[in-house]
């Protein structure tokens, strides 16, 4: 798609954002309809029956509330993860709008939510909320980009495709990390970019390590870097690689998982350690006491009045504490050489901070409006990711169809081709047979498996007794067996019970042969299939999820159920082959795929996939099991 003016572009992106917001609201309305039918948690959009286990006051007066199931037990699987916008609702107050928050930590039995005010009540539920904050910030960033002039105005025009990207000669670099030839070339290329460059990192090729070297080289030359990614987990992965290279690294936002050795790099911890923060800490301690006292006020004629007085006093102190804290925050932010954050940049925290380079990791998963907040603050930008894996998540089918699900990274690659990118070519994850199909189909046969992984196999793991003659990859064909898909009861997602039974049996076989549950991934493209597999395999440490849940991750063994099996050869959203590329490339040593060739092979991608397995002599039929009864 081509835009003649930036105003035209802003109008189009704003319309898509509005469509996306409406689609999210419709999805939540459908969730509430399911809730009335008694299946709120099954929809994955809510967690019911919660109570407050603990709380504390965090940076800028945020309240960190730890919630657990009221009667004990694990939290249900679903869409509520770290970074998810949520609403905390008092279950005893029908129609209560609730308190807006963000999930900051999730464990098997506990979930932490950051809110701006105290949730008064005893019994709570957590609902997914439309992400209005992200959309509002993206709209603001688009308006900021209208005003860009000079070098950043040129950067904007290059990103719009109206100017050619420029590169200049730079002296050969002395690399800090041990990089292969394609990684060194990529860093050198990115350092030479005057406007924009793209690092294409196929699965397992060390993209994050390459970015860490690029950031180090930029800081070494006196530059300041804004390092972003669309998810908290991706930001934390980048943070982990950077901290040993650059001393002044700061993580802002809600870290998904911060190891003890990294906590000193978070804004909360640095503010807490600042000598000038003692007064602020004392004030927050008094606020905590006031909030606690308000929660203990007994019922009575004057209870509401007394509770209101306590809340009002806490609010006055909170405003004072925030003002004192803000000056400390500004000082810490200004002293950082590298700031790590999600692409949903908090303007209140970063203000007008300026950077020599912005790095966007997992850029192939970003909608275009997510990019502009970083662009407005940087002289140059480097995208890193893989447009052949997961695209941006877009709820609105219509907006996706019109082009909202295409990332800026993908658009620039299509327009400028090889002049704007360098590809990493050595992968350090997969046996060459696991890599082979994706390499041919998506990466022009340009990838090579590093010798350390090229022939590694499952039986080489400690305590694993799988026979060394077992194939690395296999496709199990259900054609003719009558193992048909079905729609999940009380839902819309599809599942295949017989395929799930086969996957469960295979997972149990691997575990019986010494493969540890955390070494296995069970992947299904449909949420309903993942749900039924969790019921069949209630094993601690065994991860069962949809494809999106495994992006950027790897396991020693992967079991993939393709689900679709019908008499009209419909593959549904399996037609988005990038998702299957993700699923196929998570395994290091062992991959099993099960599906119905009679349904799948009508699609060219799956026809070629099955042909690839057949060329290796590893296509099996479930008829061999002797348990097929139609």
């Amino acid at each position: 798609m081509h835009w003649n003016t930036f105003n035209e572009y802003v109008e189009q992106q704003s319309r898509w954002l509005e469509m996306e917001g409406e689609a999210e609201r419709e999805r939540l309305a459908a969730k509430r309809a399911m809730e009335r039918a008694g299946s709120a948690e099954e929809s994955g959009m809510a967690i019911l029956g919660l109570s407050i286990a603990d709380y504390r006051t965090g940076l800028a007066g945020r309240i960190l509330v730890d919630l657990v199931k009221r009667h004990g037990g694990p939290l249900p699987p679903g869409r509520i993860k770290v970074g998810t916008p949520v609403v905390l609702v008092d279950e005893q107050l029908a129609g209560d709008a609730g308190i807006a928050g963000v999930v900051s930590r999730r464990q098997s039995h506990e979930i932490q939510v950051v809110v701006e005010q105290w949730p008064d009540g005893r019994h709570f539920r957590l609902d997914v909320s439309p992400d209005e904050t992200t959309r509002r910030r993206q709209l603001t960033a688009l308006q900021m980009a209208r005003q860009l002039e000079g070098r950043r105005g040129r950067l904007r025009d290059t990103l719009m495709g109206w100017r050619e990207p420029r590169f200049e000669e730079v002296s050969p670099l002395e690399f800090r990390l041990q990089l292969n030839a394609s990684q060194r070339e990529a860093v050198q290329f990115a350092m030479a970019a005057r406007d924009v460059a793209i690092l294409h990192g196929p699965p397992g090729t060390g993209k994050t390590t390459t970015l860490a070297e690029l950031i180090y080289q930029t800081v070494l030359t006196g530059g300041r870097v804004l390092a972003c990614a669309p998810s908290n987990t991706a930001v934390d992965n980048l943070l982990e690689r950077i901290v040993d290279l650059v001393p002044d690294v700061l993580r802002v936002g809600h870290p998904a998982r911060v190891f003890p050795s990294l906590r000193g790099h978070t804004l909360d911890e640095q503010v807490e350690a600042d000598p000038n923060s003692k007064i602020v800490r004392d004030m927050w301690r008094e606020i905590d006491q006031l909030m606690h006292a308000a929660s203990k006020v007994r019922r009575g004629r004057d209870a509401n009045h007394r509770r209101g007085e306590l809340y009002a006093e806490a609010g006055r102190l909170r405003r004072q504490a925030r003002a004192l804290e803000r000056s400390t925050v500004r000082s810490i932010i200004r002293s950082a050489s590298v700031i790590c954050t999600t692409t949903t940049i908090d303007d209140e925290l970063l203000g007008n901070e300026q950077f020599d380079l912005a790095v966007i990791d997992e850029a192939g998963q970003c909608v275009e409006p997510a990019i502009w907040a970083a662009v407005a603050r940087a002289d140059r930008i480097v995208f890193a990711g893989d447009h052949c894996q997961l695209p941006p998540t877009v709820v609105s089918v219509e907006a996706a169809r019109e082009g909202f699900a295409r990332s800026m990274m993908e658009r620039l690659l299509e327009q400028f081709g090889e002049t704007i990118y360098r590809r990493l070519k050595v992968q350090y994850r997969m046996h060459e047979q696991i890599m082979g199909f994706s390499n041919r189909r998506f990466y022009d046969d340009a990838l090579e498996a590093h010798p350390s992984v090229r022939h590694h196999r499952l039986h080489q793991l400690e305590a694993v007794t799988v026979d060394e003659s077992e194939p690395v990859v296999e496709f199990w064909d259900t054609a003719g067996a009558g193992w048909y898909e079905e729609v999940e009861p009380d839902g819309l997602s599809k599942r295949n019970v017989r395929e799930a039974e086969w996957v469960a049996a295979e997972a149990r076989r691997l575990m019986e042969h010494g493969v540890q549950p955390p070494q296995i991934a069970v992947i299904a493209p449909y949420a309903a299939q993942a749900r039924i597999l969790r019921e069949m395999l209630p094993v601690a440490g065994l991860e069962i999820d949809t494809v999106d849940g495994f992006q950027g991750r790897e396991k020693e063994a992967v079991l993939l159920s393709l689900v679709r099996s019908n008499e009209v050869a419909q593959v549904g959203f399996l037609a988005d082959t990038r998702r299957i590329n993700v699923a196929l490339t998570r395994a290091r040593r062992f991959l099993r795929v099960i599906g119905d060739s009679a349904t799948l092979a009508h699609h060219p991608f799956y026809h070629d996939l099955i042909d690839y397995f057949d060329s290796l002599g590893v296509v099996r039929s479930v008829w061999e099991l002797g348990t097929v009864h139609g």
Side-chain angles (χ1 to χ4, degrees):
M1 183 175 288
H2 179 76
W3 296 272
N4 294 313
T5 67
F6 196 71
N7 284 341
E8 181 183 320
Y9 171 83
V10 170
E11 289 175 7
Q12 177 69 83
Q13 297 294 332
S14 300
R15 188 174 75 85
W16 283 339
L17 284 170
E18 183 179 340
M19 293 164 66
E20 183 74 351
E22 180 59 30
E24 279 202 12
R25 288 187 286 273
E26 289 177 359
R27 185 175 70 169
L28 288 175
K31 183 271 297 181
R32 293 188 180 100
M34 293 182 68
E35 173 188 325
R36 287 192 291 272
S39 55
E41 285 194 333
E42 286 79 357
S43 72
M45 305 287 286
I47 303 177
L48 312 181
L50 296 169
S51 62
I52 296 175
D54 198 5
Y55 68 91
R56 66 182 179 88
T57 303
L59 184 64
R62 300 177 307 202
I63 303 169
L64 284 65
V65 181
D66 297 331
L67 299 158
V68 297
K69 277 287 192 177
R70 196 160 58 247
H71 302 298
L75 300 174
R79 300 174 185 269
I80 300 179
K81 301 178 180 179
V82 171
T84 300
V86 291
V87 177
L88 186 60
V89 181
D90 185 342
E91 287 185 323
Q92 296 181 323
L93 297 178
D96 182 17
I99 298 171
V102 176
V103 176
S104 57
R105 188 181 72 231
R106 175 164 179 159
Q107 298 171 327
S108 61
H109 287 68
E110 182 178 275
I111 188 166
Q112 184 183 81
V113 179
V114 179
V115 294
E116 295 292 330
Q117 65 186 82
W118 176 252
D120 194 17
R122 295 176 59 197
H123 303 153
F124 297 94
R125 58 178 294 143
L126 210 54
D127 290 340
V128 173
S129 170
D131 195 357
E132 300 297 345
T133 298
T134 294
R135 271 189 291 280
R136 185 172 63 250
R137 289 179 179 176
Q138 290 176 354
L139 287 168
T140 299
L142 284 166
Q143 299 304 326
M144 290 170 60
R146 288 184 196 262
Q147 314 302 323
L148 296 177
E149 297 177 343
R151 182 165 185 173
R152 290 179 188 170
R154 181 185 174 92
L155 173 58
R156 177 196 61 205
D157 293 347
T158 305
L159 295 176
M160 292 300 301
W162 300 331
R163 291 176 181 263
E164 292 287 326
R166 301 171 299 166
F167 297 86
E168 61 186 4
E169 286 291 327
V170 294
S171 301
L173 303 173
E174 293 186 12
F175 296 99
R176 171 75 178 272
L177 301 175
Q178 290 188 337
L179 305 181
N180 62 49
S182 65
Q183 291 171 328
R184 292 194 298 270
E185 182 185 4
V187 175
Q188 191 85 35
F189 177 75
M191 290 293 290
R194 296 183 63 187
D195 306 298
V196 58
I198 295 174
L199 304 187
H200 180 199
T205 53
K207 169 178 58 67
T208 307
T209 299
T210 306
L211 284 182
E213 180 71 46
L214 170 63
I215 291 168
Y216 165 76
Q217 294 290 343
T218 302
V219 173
L220 192 65
T221 59
R224 197 169 184 229
V225 181
L226 177 63
C228 302
S231 71
N232 281 288
T233 301
V235 176
D236 291 337
N237 286 337
L238 196 51
L239 171 69
E240 186 181 355
R241 301 295 176 91
I242 296 170
V243 291
D244 290 334
L245 301 177
V246 182
D248 300 321
V249 180
L250 181 66
R251 170 66 158 101
V252 302
H254 302 297
R257 51 156 191 81
V258 176
F259 299 123
S261 60
L262 303 181
R263 287 177 188 155
H265 296 279
T266 63
L267 181 59
D268 293 63
E269 291 281 337
Q270 292 200 21
V271 169
E272 187 74 14
D274 191 281
N276 296 322
S277 291
K278 185 180 185 305
I279 296 174
V280 174
R281 288 197 295 272
D282 290 341
M283 294 178 75
W284 286 125
R285 202 172 293 118
E286 187 175 348
I287 291 167
D288 273 346
Q289 292 168 356
L290 288 167
M291 298 299 290
H292 186 71
S295 69
K296 295 295 184 182
V297 172
R298 301 296 181 185
R299 296 188 179 188
R301 188 172 57 185
D302 298 325
N304 288 338
H305 177 71
R306 175 59 179 158
R307 191 181 296 112
E309 286 183 335
L310 291 168
Y311 283 150
E313 177 65 11
R316 183 185 66 78
L317 282 174
R318 185 179 291 115
R319 288 190 292 273
Q320 292 180 4
R322 281 175 172 167
L324 291 171
E325 197 173 54
R326 198 170 293 121
S327 62
T328 303
V329 168
R330 302 277 357 126
S331 175
I332 291 170
I333 286 176
R334 290 193 183 107
S335 66
S337 299
V338 180
I339 290 180
C340 299
T341 178
T342 63
T343 49
T344 307
I345 292 172
D346 188 335
D347 292 321
E348 185 178 348
L349 278 178
L350 286 194
N352 295 318
E353 293 297 312
Q354 304 297 302
F355 301 87
D356 301 280
L357 172 67
V359 169
I360 311 293
D361 197 7
E362 304 294 358
Q365 296 181 53
C366 297
V367 293
E368 294 214 12
I371 301 298
W372 292 105
V375 174
R377 292 172 166 82
D379 295 335
R380 302 185 300 126
I381 190 163
V382 171
F383 297 113
D386 183 9
H387 57 292
C388 301
Q389 295 189 65
L390 290 183
T393 299
V394 173
V395 178
S396 169
V397 175
E398 184 180 354
R401 187 182 300 118
E402 290 183 12
F404 195 45
R406 185 177 67 156
S407 66
M408 184 182 291
M409 173 180 164
E410 185 175 2
R411 174 170 62 80
L412 292 171
L413 283 167
E414 290 175 2
Q415 179 164 1
F416 294 117
E418 294 185 0
T419 62
I420 200 172
Y421 85 97
R422 291 294 183 270
R423 177 187 284 154
L424 307 181
K425 296 179 180 179
V426 180
Q427 66 86 11
Y428 298 85
R429 175 185 299 163
M430 296 165 275
H431 188 287
E432 61 182 0
Q433 289 184 356
I434 297 173
M435 175 190 77
F437 177 74
S438 291
N439 191 22
R440 179 191 307 169
R441 184 78 185 194
F442 294 99
Y443 306 114
D444 307 315
D445 266 334
L447 300 186
E448 61 179 277
H450 189 266
S452 63
V453 302
R454 186 177 298 154
H455 299 123
H456 67 178
R457 299 168 73 97
L458 200 58
H459 74 270
Q460 295 168 334
L461 293 175
E462 185 178 357
V464 171
T465 60
V466 170
D467 194 281
E468 63 182 79
S469 66
E470 278 227 21
V472 173
V473 298
E474 276 185 346
F475 179 85
W476 280 81
D477 191 358
T478 69
W483 292 14
Y484 292 125
E485 67 194 57
E486 64 182 28
V487 177
E488 181 184 39
D490 301 320
L492 300 174
S493 184
K494 290 182 169 58
R495 68 185 190 182
N496 189 314
V497 176
R498 295 300 299 275
E499 275 194 19
E501 290 172 346
W502 182 93
V503 170
E506 183 69 359
R508 285 191 288 266
R509 183 182 74 87
L510 290 177
M511 290 185 285
E512 288 167 2
H513 282 280
V515 184
Q516 297 302 304
Q519 296 175 313
I520 303 171
V522 178
I523 304 178
Y526 288 89
Q529 188 76 345
R531 280 192 283 272
I532 196 172
L533 280 162
R534 290 190 194 104
E535 293 175 7
M536 293 179 177
L537 291 165
V539 179
L542 176 62
E543 292 192 66
I544 303 171
D545 210 338
T546 59
V547 178
D548 296 48
F550 284 102
Q551 169 74 10
R553 306 187 50 215
E554 61 185 52
K555 294 283 187 174
E556 301 295 347
V558 168
L559 308 176
L560 170 62
S561 171
L562 295 176
V563 177
R564 299 309 298 260
S565 177
N566 52 72
E567 295 178 343
V568 290
Q570 289 185 349
V571 298
F573 77 85
L574 290 188
D576 184 353
T577 57
R578 289 176 293 182
R579 275 191 158 76
I580 303 305
N581 182 36
V582 173
L584 294 172
T585 54
R586 300 308 95 196
R588 288 173 48 79
R589 302 167 186 263
F590 183 96
L591 173 66
R592 294 294 181 266
V593 181
I594 184 168
D596 179 2
S597 66
T599 297
L600 298 169
H602 286 268
H603 189 285
F605 175 88
Y606 295 98
H607 181 277
D608 291 349
L609 175 63
I610 295 168
D611 273 356
Y612 173 73
F613 284 119
D614 194 39
S615 72
L616 298 175
V618 292
V619 174
R620 306 280 301 276
S621 171
V622 296
W623 287 94
E624 299 175 34
L625 302 174
T627 59
V628 174
H629 304 296

